[in-house]
Amino acid sequence: MIEKIGIIGAGQMGSGIAHVSAVAGFQVKLVDVREDQLTKAVGGIGRNLERQVAKGKIAEAAKDAALARIATATDLSALADCDLVIEAATESEDVKRAIFKQLVPHLKADALVATNTSSISITRLAASTDRPHKFIGMHFMNPVPVMQLVEIIRGIATDEETFQAIKELTAKLGKTAAIAEDFPAFIVNRILLPMINEAVYTLYEGVGTVEGIDTAMKLGANHPMGPLELADFIGLDTCLSIMQVLYEGLADSKYRPCPLLVKYVEAGWLGRKVGRGFYDYSGDVPRPTR
């Protein structure tokens, strides 16, 4: 039975997973190498819980109880008593594999391991642990407290017991599961990221401006957010990483990352998180950069 959940990475995704896990009644241990990031994450969780209280979604007592369930640490040894550890570090296979190699000596024998990867092979990541049969993909959507979906992805070695335990956990977290096969980028990003990449090509080729492209897709396709605005929200570095996984994993030229996307990432213009991407976020209202 899953009672204690460990989360590696206190960024936007990790803190969001910690939030929903604590609200659902689980004991949470949030681990990050940076103490300041942990402080920032807990503060952000607190503010998001307060918003939920203000909207009547949870009671004040539930907010306080959820915060009390979250403990933080900077060392992976703090995860020794966890029933499940969810890795939510940066979208880099090398980084994730290194984390898993450092993690497994600290885990109890029956602990499950999940990764929040949005594109990388579950089977390959599982092979860097001592328990491929207890390893699975749980791809939460951003922002985690708001988005309903979790993609569940089995690796080739994932056993039925682990799969069923994670399906049950997903329901307890108040989320809806979509089961995906272990192919590059799974379901959501296999469809979404090529669309974003094509929008960047449309900008690159001068077919439309940033504002024109986003307006066209919002009003013409009824999307709540334009593809370039969405790319900035996701992070252009993450978009590029997923496109590279698709391009390399499927060996199809239709997944070639747009050179303009590559250039923006090389420039460090990664979107909202740095204040500049396809929009400039330095003022009160985001302004298109092209």
Side-chain angles (χ1 to χ4, degrees):
M1 180 182 292
I2 297 172
E3 295 178 345
K4 295 181 179 179
I5 298 176
I7 298 160
I8 301 173
Q12 195 167 24
M13 296 305 296
S15 60
I17 297 167
H19 176 143
V20 298
S21 299
V23 169
F26 295 94
Q27 294 296 320
V28 174
K29 288 191 176 176
L30 182 60
V31 174
D32 197 284
V33 292
R34 291 173 49 194
E35 188 70 51
D36 63 325
Q37 184 62 42
L38 288 166
T39 302
K40 179 182 176 183
V42 173
I45 292 168
R47 288 188 295 275
N48 287 334
L49 286 167
E50 286 170 4
R51 278 193 280 270
Q52 288 184 310
V53 171
K55 292 178 180 178
K57 293 187 175 180
I58 62 171
E60 184 76 26
K63 179 203 82 172
D64 295 338
L67 282 172
R69 293 186 192 104
I70 301 173
T72 63
T74 56
D75 196 292
L76 293 174
S77 62
L79 303 173
D81 63 345
C82 290
D83 304 306
L84 165 68
V85 175
I86 303 172
E87 170 274 317
T90 187
E91 189 68 359
S92 161
E93 184 166 347
D94 290 342
V95 169
K96 291 179 186 295
R97 289 172 70 94
I99 287 171
F100 292 130
K101 286 184 183 298
Q102 295 168 33
L103 171 67
V104 291
H106 301 293
L107 296 177
K108 58 184 183 181
D110 59 347
L112 306 183
V113 180
T115 174
N116 183 55
T117 181
S118 55
S119 62
I120 301 167
S121 167
I122 304 304
T123 299
R124 285 204 309 271
L125 292 176
S128 60
T129 76
D130 63 347
R131 60 196 72 200
H133 61 300
K134 298 289 185 187
F135 192 100
I136 199 164
M138 286 186 81
H139 178 210
F140 290 80
M141 305 294 127
N142 185 32
V144 179
V146 176
M147 299 295 279
Q148 184 70 19
L149 182 70
V150 176
E151 285 183 308
I152 298 177
I153 312 101
R154 300 173 75 156
I156 195 171
T158 306
D159 64 24
E160 185 65 21
E161 184 181 5
T162 299
F163 176 64
Q164 292 300 331
I166 296 303
K167 275 182 67 178
E168 290 172 17
L169 172 67
T170 300
K172 288 178 182 177
L173 294 178
K175 304 298 183 186
T176 300
I179 312 305
E181 293 298 321
D182 190 14
F183 282 86
F186 319 130
I187 297 172
V188 173
N189 284 333
R190 172 74 177 266
I191 297 167
L192 177 64
L193 264 296
M195 183 198 76
I196 289 174
N197 193 53
E198 195 62 29
V200 182
Y201 266 114
T202 305
L203 178 66
Y204 179 59
E205 294 168 2
V207 178
T209 63
V210 169
E211 193 170 28
I213 292 164
D214 278 351
T215 298
M217 292 306 293
K218 283 190 285 188
L219 300 184
N222 204 28
H223 290 190
M225 190 182 291
L228 301 176
E229 181 186 2
L230 180 56
D232 276 359
F233 181 76
I234 293 169
L236 303 192
D237 51 341
T238 300
C239 292
L240 178 58
S241 293
I242 295 170
M243 287 308 302
Q244 287 169 332
V245 166
L246 282 166
Y247 188 46
E248 293 163 10
L250 298 173
D252 191 325
S253 61
K254 73 179 180 180
Y255 298 114
R256 183 173 71 96
C258 179
L260 184 61
L261 177 60
V262 175
K263 187 177 291 186
Y264 269 52
V265 173
E266 289 175 344
W269 298 351
L270 307 181
R272 279 183 176 269
K273 60 187 172 184
V274 299
R276 184 183 178 97
F278 293 112
Y279 291 84
D280 182 338
Y281 299 92
S282 59
D284 293 336
V285 178
R287 293 182 296 103
T289 53
R290 291 176 75 93

